[in-house]
Amino acid sequence: MMNVAANLVRNATLLPDKVAIRFGERAISYAEFDRAANQVANGLRALGVGRGDKVALACPNLPYFPIAYYGILKLGAVVVPINVLLKGAEIAYHLKDSDSRAFLCFEGTPDLPLGQAGWDGFREAGTCEHFVLIMGDPSKPAVIEGANTLAQLMRDQPAACDLVLTVADDTAVILYTSGTTGRPKGAELTHSNLMMNSLCNKGLMKLVADDVHLLVLPLFHSFGQVVQMNGAVLCGATMVLLPRFDPDAALAAMVRHQVTVFAGVPTMYIAILNLPDADQRHDLRAIAASMRVGVSGGAALPVEVLRQFERKFEVTILEGYGLSETSPVATFNQFEFECVPGSVGQAIAGVEVRIVDTHDLPVPVGEIGEVVIRGHNIMKGYYKRPEATAEAIRNGWFHSGDLGRMDERGYVYIVDRLKDMIIRGGFNVYPRELEEVMMAHEAIAQVAVIGVPEPVLGEEVKAVVMLKSGRQASAEELIAWCKERMAAYKYPRHIDIVAAMPMTATGKILKREMRSA
């Protein structure tokens, strides 16, 4: 028997009064967390939901997300997290593709009318049986006529619930990929995938019950969901939830709650470092005194950003690497070994990583090739897509689509996405290498390097740059600066200076939007 929700049941018994979730002024203990999850499970069971059934969940970082997530798992059902930024037609696709029987959807806000988009998607799909609206204030009726609320689902339901016995290979979560190539595919992650990854993360970050995690990464994404939420619940730690990332709010929460663990994507670290007057508005010394570890993933963290953050907050940043299909962590810089800036560390316990050529043969140490992975963290497959699964998992190895290299000690360095590599006049140009150099410029806050069509060379190098507040630099000046520091075939011939970068809900820069602009 293996069910990820057993971790919550255990801590509700061992640490009933320990604060599990903090949100604003609310503090929810592990006992309260478990009882609420039980009521969700019993409410869904009353609708006919059972083991193996799919339940979609669209909710930002509010207490309802972990409560609903663990309630679904308690039934032996499958959680289908949905990106809160999706529109009605996109939601309909996810509901139909996943065969979801029920859909729990937050009501949204005036700026993000998620409830209406969810209702539109539910009706368009026509295959999902139950729509449940999560109201910010449980005492209020549904803002959408004809919808039931989560409070109604939970009302009069028993606060106790027997955990459904699932096995290790049962699907626990279906995580949809971003769909950068074609329509999104659902990666089936098993209870074993999630449990093993959480246990590995516990050891890698030395997580303990006394830790306080700041959760700014969206919980519908594998990074925030598995590395932080499931990791915190496994250890009986406290989670401080922020519905959306804001550097000012993040620093305030770090001070107020004496946060010990922070996880983010590179754009979050950059935003915190570049927040004007941060040292005047927040007690950065208090943050440094309590912060034990920072974790970065989702994209390459520029080495200069890592070093600045470590100096400013006197904390070690551990950079790791993984994908939704790898549950997600595959490699990690580890406390027991040397942390190498610029590297995403070594393969985690029970996982193997290789660098291979176009024929799937290992390349020599230090050479660039595709990163392939095998181990306990590899997904069961893409839901209802055997051909796509067979293409991604060949001879037992998951093919990441990422380019990387490995040194003689097994440290992995991600060079770029295979599809992001620029071929300029027959030369391979790796955008991350250029971005690392450009981030050292005193005026640059963020940069993304892309390839644009060029009739003679095939592709030309272009950089999209966001400047630091109060700093000035022209495109011509930046091009000249790059020319002095990069080989002739590498430096960007075109630079656009922008006020903001297009990003995903997880804070990844959307290069595909830049290419189509």
Side-chain angles (χ1 to χ4, degrees):
M1 174 268 186
M2 181 180 286
N3 189 320
V4 173
N7 294 327
L8 174 57
V9 176
R10 177 176 179 271
N11 286 320
T13 302
L14 296 178
L15 305 166
D17 300 322
K18 174 77 183 296
V19 175
I21 302 168
R22 290 194 184 277
F23 179 74
E25 300 301 319
R26 295 182 62 187
I28 300 171
S29 70
Y30 269 98
E32 293 168 326
F33 181 5
D34 188 55
R35 287 196 295 269
N38 287 338
Q39 289 181 303
V40 170
N42 288 325
L44 288 170
R45 180 181 282 122
L47 296 180
V49 176
R51 179 176 175 177
D53 287 333
K54 318 302 188 297
V55 180
L57 174 61
C59 184
N61 288 15
L62 304 172
Y64 308 110
F65 189 101
I67 288 170
Y69 181 95
Y70 278 90
I72 296 165
L73 292 180
K74 279 172 175 280
L75 277 181
V78 179
V79 187
V80 183
I82 289 182
N83 188 324
V84 299
L85 299 181
L86 297 186
K87 305 300 183 184
E90 296 167 313
I91 291 172
Y93 166 79
H94 284 73
L95 295 178
K96 290 177 69 174
D97 190 75
S98 65
D99 297 316
S100 290
R101 290 194 61 194
F103 180 24
L104 311 184
C105 181
F106 181 61
E107 65 169 318
T109 64
D111 294 332
L112 185 67
L114 177 59
Q116 187 61 54
W119 178 244
D120 292 342
F122 171 77
R123 290 190 299 172
E124 182 180 334
T127 54
C128 190
E129 301 168 40
H130 307 285
F131 181 83
V132 179
L133 196 64
I134 302 171
M135 297 296 296
D137 182 347
S139 66
K140 290 185 177 180
V143 293
I144 295 174
E145 187 176 351
N148 289 321
T149 68
L150 184 65
Q152 290 172 319
L153 179 82
M154 298 169 65
R155 188 172 298 150
D156 300 325
Q157 294 295 337
C161 175
D162 288 334
L163 196 67
V164 171
L165 299 181
T166 53
V167 297
D169 199 45
D170 280 352
T171 302
V173 174
I174 296 178
L175 285 176
Y176 275 82
T177 62
S178 57
T180 52
T181 55
R183 303 205 77 175
K185 301 183 293 290
E188 290 191 77
L189 303 183
T190 66
H191 285 273
S192 176
N193 287 151
L194 299 184
M195 186 72 81
M196 291 298 294
N197 219 256
S198 295
L199 286 167
C200 284
N201 293 330
K202 177 183 178 181
L204 292 166
M205 293 183 276
K206 299 190 180 300
L207 302 179
V208 294
D210 288 337
D211 275 323
V212 179
H213 295 250
L214 179 60
L215 273 68
V216 296
L217 291 160
L219 292 175
F220 59 76
H221 188 268
S222 60
F223 191 178
Q225 182 187 135
V226 181
V227 176
Q228 280 207 283
M229 182 181 75
N230 288 351
V233 173
L234 172 68
C235 300
T238 298
M239 299 175 279
V240 178
L241 304 184
L242 286 183
R244 58 182 294 274
F245 174 73
D246 174 82
D248 203 50
L251 289 174
M254 289 176 188
V255 174
R256 180 180 181 186
H257 300 292
Q258 296 180 300
V259 167
T260 64
V261 181
F262 174 73
V265 295
T267 54
M268 295 176 180
Y269 283 95
I270 292 167
I272 289 172
L273 284 175
N274 292 326
L275 183 66
D277 304 321
D279 55 344
Q280 298 176 31
R281 299 207 302 273
H282 302 285
D283 188 346
L284 302 189
R285 288 182 177 273
I287 293 173
S290 62
M291 188 76 71
R292 189 175 60 77
V293 60
V295 180
S296 180
L301 181 67
V303 173
E304 185 61 29
V305 173
L306 181 147
R307 288 174 173 153
Q308 286 182 31
F309 200 95
E310 287 190 333
R311 285 197 300 268
K312 190 165 191 173
F313 294 98
E314 301 173 24
V315 65
T316 297
I317 296 179
L318 303 177
E319 190 172 5
Y321 164 75
L323 308 95
S324 295
E325 294 91 339
T326 60
S327 306
V329 181
T331 70
F332 210 80
N333 273 286
Q334 304 168 34
F335 279 121
E336 288 84 356
F337 305 102
E338 179 188 3
C339 292
V340 180
S343 163
V344 293
Q346 302 159 314
I348 64 173
V351 171
E352 292 180 271
V353 176
R354 284 182 181 173
I355 311 297
V356 301
D357 61 19
T358 54
H359 301 291
D360 290 349
L361 298 174
V363 303
V365 170
E367 289 196 10
I368 293 172
E370 184 180 9
V371 180
V372 297
I373 306 153
R374 71 177 177 183
H376 56 71
N377 61 338
I378 302 304
M379 65 174 178
K380 181 189 290 188
Y382 292 118
Y383 185 60
K384 300 190 302 186
R385 287 177 170 79
E387 292 182 359
T389 301
E391 174 61 25
I393 304 174
R394 304 196 294 273
N395 299 316
W397 292 87
F398 172 74
H399 288 61
S400 69
D402 288 318
L403 290 170
R405 58 182 175 86
M406 185 185 293
D407 67 19
E408 65 281 353
R409 294 186 297 168
Y411 283 88
V412 177
Y413 300 78
I414 300 301
V415 175
D416 245 306
R417 287 292 292 170
L418 188 59
K419 61 181 177 56
D420 285 342
M421 184 179 73
I422 302 165
I423 303 178
R424 181 185 186 274
F427 289 95
N428 291 347
V429 178
Y430 302 105
R432 187 196 170 181
E433 178 188 359
L434 277 59
E435 290 162 359
E436 287 279 357
V437 175
M438 295 184 71
M439 282 298 296
H441 192 286
E442 61 181 12
I444 293 178
Q446 290 187 36
V447 59
V449 173
I450 60 174
V452 293
E454 207 282 334
V456 177
L457 298 172
E459 284 186 289
E460 188 53 274
V461 181
K462 176 181 178 179
V464 181
V465 170
M466 192 168 77
L467 299 178
K468 293 178 180 178
S469 177
R471 295 296 182 95
Q472 299 291 325
S474 68
E476 292 73 20
E477 290 170 343
L478 293 177
I479 291 172
W481 185 89
C482 291
K483 187 176 181 180
E484 292 179 357
R485 292 162 175 81
M486 301 175 191
Y489 71 92
K490 291 181 183 178
Y491 76 87
R493 267 59 172 185
H494 308 289
I495 290 183
D496 286 350
I497 297 175
V498 299
M501 298 276 194
M503 293 186 188
T504 67
T506 56
K508 288 185 183 180
I509 295 173
L510 284 168
K511 290 189 175 182
R512 66 178 183 270
E513 287 196 8
M514 294 176 179
R515 293 189 195 98
S516 61

